[in-house]
Amino acid sequence: MAVTSQATSNGQSQKGLSYWRKQLLQVSLPALGKTGKLLGRLLKKPDCALSDLEKVIAEDPVLAFQILAHANKLNTSPDNDVSSLPHAMSLIGMDKLRPVLKNMKYIPFNPTKVAHNAFLQALHTSLHAASLAHSWAEKKIPGSGEANYWITLRLSSVYWYLSLASPKSYQAIELRVQTGESRSHVEQDILGCTCQELTQSMLPYWRLSKFTSDNLTRLLSPNPRMLAKIGRCAWIDSVAPETPKAQGVYMQTPWFGAVLAHTLALNSSVSWYSVQTQRTLRIVSAYLHQPLEEVVIKIH
């Protein structure tokens, strides 16, 4: 039975999805302190250009992520997402970008702080997922890698917010998952909802296009039987089985690769030999239409 509430240390109750969505929406993601110093020096120069700022921002994935999020909120084209840093910065413009960068939260990460370590762990997993999604997208449709990179980070960002909103809850989840428990079961037990449900609930706040939002909503609620059938389409011993039409069409859903990379990164961070990781690798084999052994070698 689903857990709908959980007692906190101060006697208050955590009420599942609505409670945690509210908590995450109150979190300000931090950029690196050294990034803030570099940007501060650049902004003092009278000839500072957007391209100068972009070089520094691109080196800080969390700051770049926030710039794209801000640009999507300003985007007046409901049918298109802002899916690259240059596009985001040109859309915002220098006048609006200055106050955004000035008001950003910059902190020097302290390895002795629980929240900082939890955040860096979550970020590491996200970057792994984003790099996989970028690579897969470029193989399928050259030029689509960057958009998939940022969408994958978006999917993983719930874990960043959670690690800062409640590092103890985040670490409790990861510790139990490391022992072999199901992630969705552990999240339900500790949070009263799953992080996948949280991601779905956050979609309206991210101002993504209806096209992207609708496809992500579909992909974040997969039919287990559908995934099992896709997994059986993996290339075993370099033999490619026939992929049923329904499974083939599902794998062509935009952002499927981003969701798949996100899932693989979460599973492989626990164990490369778990049932969940091996099942996900088989789905990757079917998705990329490549032999399973080649997929495993490349991902490693």
Side-chain angles (χ1 to χ4, degrees):
M1 183 171 67
V3 178
T4 56
S5 65
Q6 176 186 12
T8 63
S9 58
N10 60 8
Q12 296 178 333
S13 61
Q14 299 174 348
K15 300 180 180 178
L17 188 60
S18 60
Y19 172 86
W20 283 105
R21 181 177 60 233
K22 185 181 296 183
Q23 296 301 306
L24 300 193
L25 288 171
Q26 294 174 358
V27 172
S28 297
L29 294 178
L32 292 171
K34 65 177 183 180
T35 303
K37 292 179 181 178
L38 288 172
L39 291 173
R41 287 199 290 267
L42 280 174
L43 289 169
K44 290 179 181 178
K45 296 181 178 180
D47 58 346
C48 178
L50 284 175
S51 58
D52 299 321
L53 297 174
E54 183 189 330
K55 293 175 183 177
V56 176
I57 293 172
E59 293 298 316
D60 190 318
V62 179
L63 178 57
F65 174 86
Q66 291 183 88
I67 294 298
L68 263 85
H70 188 77
N72 270 300
K73 291 178 182 178
L74 296 176
N75 186 19
T76 57
S77 176
D79 297 327
N80 296 294
D81 300 299
V82 180
S83 56
S84 72
L85 186 57
H87 182 194
M89 294 187 65
S90 62
L91 180 64
I92 297 172
M94 182 64 83
D95 290 342
K96 291 182 180 178
L97 185 62
R98 284 180 179 272
V100 170
L101 294 176
K102 182 178 179 181
N103 295 326
M104 200 67 68
K105 182 179 181 181
Y106 300 97
I107 63 171
F109 278 94
N110 186 339
T112 65
K113 290 188 176 181
V114 174
H116 288 194
N117 277 312
F119 178 76
L120 289 175
Q121 179 185 352
L123 180 60
H124 173 77
T125 302
S126 297
L127 291 173
H128 176 213
S131 65
L132 287 175
H134 183 281
S135 174
W136 298 346
E138 286 294 327
K139 288 177 183 176
K140 282 189 163 288
I141 306 176
S144 66
E146 187 166 11
N148 278 269
Y149 180 93
W150 293 110
I151 286 294
T152 308
L153 284 190
R154 174 61 70 193
L155 293 170
S156 300
S157 66
V158 162
Y159 289 94
W160 309 355
Y161 287 100
L162 178 62
S163 69
L164 295 172
S166 181
K168 290 184 178 179
S169 296
Y170 172 82
Q171 288 198 325
I173 291 169
E174 295 305 313
L175 286 172
R176 286 179 56 180
V177 171
Q178 290 287 339
T179 66
E181 291 190 66
S182 161
R183 181 175 290 276
S184 59
H185 171 77
V186 172
E187 290 173 353
Q188 187 72 47
D189 187 36
I190 293 175
L191 305 176
C193 63
T194 67
C195 286
Q196 189 154 295
E197 291 170 338
L198 267 173
T199 299
Q200 287 179 292
S201 74
M202 298 284 277
L203 287 175
Y205 297 95
W206 292 338
R207 308 287 180 87
L208 300 172
S209 68
K210 186 177 185 302
F211 175 80
T212 294
S213 186
D214 287 349
N215 282 304
L216 289 179
T217 298
R218 179 190 181 198
L219 292 169
L220 289 170
S221 300
N223 183 312
R225 290 185 179 181
M226 172 71 78
L227 295 181
K229 289 179 180 178
I230 294 174
R232 288 196 288 272
C233 297
W235 286 36
I236 306 298
D237 295 328
S238 299
V239 176
E242 183 177 351
T243 303
K245 183 178 179 180
Q247 283 68 52
V249 170
Y250 183 77
M251 285 192 287
Q252 295 305 313
T253 304
W255 313 119
F256 180 80
V259 175
L260 187 57
H262 167 67
T263 303
L264 179 61
L266 285 176
N267 290 336
S268 62
S269 68
V270 177
S271 171
W272 277 101
Y273 307 103
S274 69
V275 172
Q276 294 86 350
T277 301
Q278 294 305 308
R279 183 175 57 222
T280 307
L281 287 169
R282 290 197 296 272
I283 296 175
V284 174
S285 170
Y287 172 64
L288 295 179
H289 210 58
Q290 292 180 350
L292 180 59
E293 59 268 27
E294 291 183 13
V295 168
V296 173
I297 290 172
K298 289 179 181 177
I299 290 175
H300 271 292

Short mmCIF file of all heavy atoms in Angstrom, two decimals, residues 27-33 66 100-107 164:
data_model
loop_
_atom_site.label_atom_id
_atom_site.label_comp_id
_atom_site.label_asym_id
_atom_site.label_seq_id
_atom_site.Cartn_x
_atom_site.Cartn_y
_atom_site.Cartn_z
N VAL A 27 13.78 25.58 -3.42
CA VAL A 27 15.24 25.43 -3.45
C VAL A 27 15.86 26.28 -4.54
O VAL A 27 15.36 26.34 -5.67
CB VAL A 27 15.62 23.95 -3.67
CG1 VAL A 27 17.12 23.80 -3.90
CG2 VAL A 27 15.19 23.10 -2.48
N SER A 28 16.95 26.96 -4.22
CA SER A 28 17.75 27.70 -5.20
C SER A 28 19.00 26.88 -5.49
O SER A 28 19.78 26.60 -4.59
CB SER A 28 18.14 29.07 -4.66
OG SER A 28 17.01 29.86 -4.43
N LEU A 29 19.16 26.48 -6.73
CA LEU A 29 20.33 25.68 -7.08
C LEU A 29 21.58 26.55 -7.06
O LEU A 29 21.57 27.66 -7.61
CB LEU A 29 20.16 25.06 -8.47
CG LEU A 29 19.05 24.02 -8.62
CD1 LEU A 29 18.99 23.56 -10.07
CD2 LEU A 29 19.26 22.84 -7.69
N PRO A 30 22.66 26.08 -6.47
CA PRO A 30 23.88 26.89 -6.36
C PRO A 30 24.84 26.69 -7.52
O PRO A 30 25.01 25.59 -8.03
CB PRO A 30 24.50 26.38 -5.06
CG PRO A 30 24.11 24.93 -5.03
CD PRO A 30 22.74 24.84 -5.67
N ALA A 31 25.44 27.78 -7.94
CA ALA A 31 26.55 27.71 -8.91
C ALA A 31 27.86 27.80 -8.12
O ALA A 31 27.86 28.13 -6.93
CB ALA A 31 26.45 28.86 -9.91
N LEU A 32 28.96 27.51 -8.77
CA LEU A 32 30.25 27.51 -8.08
C LEU A 32 30.71 28.92 -7.74
O LEU A 32 30.53 29.85 -8.54
CB LEU A 32 31.31 26.84 -8.96
CG LEU A 32 31.15 25.34 -9.17
CD1 LEU A 32 32.12 24.85 -10.24
CD2 LEU A 32 31.37 24.58 -7.87
N GLY A 33 31.31 29.05 -6.57
CA GLY A 33 31.81 30.34 -6.14
C GLY A 33 32.84 30.92 -7.10
O GLY A 33 32.83 32.12 -7.39
N GLN A 66 20.47 26.62 -15.25
CA GLN A 66 19.55 27.64 -14.75
C GLN A 66 19.31 28.75 -15.79
O GLN A 66 18.21 29.29 -15.88
CB GLN A 66 20.09 28.25 -13.46
CG GLN A 66 20.07 27.27 -12.30
CD GLN A 66 20.53 27.90 -11.01
OE1 GLN A 66 19.74 28.47 -10.26
NE2 GLN A 66 21.82 27.81 -10.73
N VAL A 100 20.25 38.63 -13.61
CA VAL A 100 20.10 37.19 -13.35
C VAL A 100 21.38 36.62 -12.76
O VAL A 100 21.37 35.90 -11.76
CB VAL A 100 19.74 36.43 -14.65
CG1 VAL A 100 19.83 34.92 -14.44
CG2 VAL A 100 18.33 36.80 -15.11
N LEU A 101 22.51 36.98 -13.36
CA LEU A 101 23.81 36.48 -12.87
C LEU A 101 24.16 37.08 -11.52
O LEU A 101 24.74 36.41 -10.66
CB LEU A 101 24.90 36.81 -13.89
CG LEU A 101 24.79 36.10 -15.24
CD1 LEU A 101 25.88 36.57 -16.19
CD2 LEU A 101 24.85 34.58 -15.08
N LYS A 102 23.79 38.33 -11.33
CA LYS A 102 24.10 39.00 -10.05
C LYS A 102 23.33 38.37 -8.90
O LYS A 102 23.85 38.25 -7.79
CB LYS A 102 23.76 40.49 -10.16
CG LYS A 102 24.11 41.27 -8.90
CD LYS A 102 23.79 42.75 -9.09
CE LYS A 102 24.12 43.53 -7.81
NZ LYS A 102 23.79 44.98 -7.96
N ASN A 103 22.08 37.99 -9.15
CA ASN A 103 21.23 37.45 -8.08
C ASN A 103 21.37 35.94 -7.91
O ASN A 103 20.72 35.36 -7.04
CB ASN A 103 19.77 37.78 -8.36
CG ASN A 103 19.51 39.28 -8.32
OD1 ASN A 103 20.12 40.00 -7.55
ND2 ASN A 103 18.61 39.76 -9.17
N MET A 104 22.18 35.32 -8.73
CA MET A 104 22.37 33.87 -8.64
C MET A 104 23.08 33.52 -7.33
O MET A 104 23.83 34.32 -6.78
CB MET A 104 23.22 33.39 -9.82
CG MET A 104 23.12 31.91 -10.11
SD MET A 104 21.50 31.40 -10.70
CE MET A 104 21.45 32.20 -12.31
N LYS A 105 22.81 32.33 -6.84
CA LYS A 105 23.43 31.85 -5.61
C LYS A 105 24.75 31.16 -5.96
O LYS A 105 24.77 30.15 -6.65
CB LYS A 105 22.49 30.87 -4.90
CG LYS A 105 23.00 30.34 -3.58
CD LYS A 105 21.95 29.41 -2.98
CE LYS A 105 22.42 28.86 -1.63
NZ LYS A 105 21.40 27.93 -1.06
N TYR A 106 25.86 31.73 -5.50
CA TYR A 106 27.17 31.14 -5.75
C TYR A 106 27.77 30.70 -4.40
O TYR A 106 27.81 31.47 -3.46
CB TYR A 106 28.12 32.16 -6.38
CG TYR A 106 27.65 32.70 -7.71
CD1 TYR A 106 26.96 33.92 -7.79
CD2 TYR A 106 27.89 32.01 -8.89
CE1 TYR A 106 26.53 34.42 -9.00
CE2 TYR A 106 27.46 32.51 -10.11
CZ TYR A 106 26.79 33.71 -10.16
OH TYR A 106 26.35 34.21 -11.37
N ILE A 107 28.22 29.46 -4.33
CA ILE A 107 28.80 28.99 -3.08
C ILE A 107 30.06 28.16 -3.35
O ILE A 107 30.16 27.48 -4.36
CB ILE A 107 27.80 28.12 -2.27
CG1 ILE A 107 27.43 26.85 -3.04
CG2 ILE A 107 26.56 28.90 -1.89
CD1 ILE A 107 26.64 25.85 -2.23
N LEU A 164 19.38 18.99 -1.83
CA LEU A 164 19.53 20.25 -1.10
C LEU A 164 18.37 20.51 -0.15
O LEU A 164 18.55 21.04 0.94
CB LEU A 164 19.65 21.41 -2.10
CG LEU A 164 20.90 21.37 -2.99
CD1 LEU A 164 20.81 22.46 -4.05
CD2 LEU A 164 22.17 21.56 -2.16
#
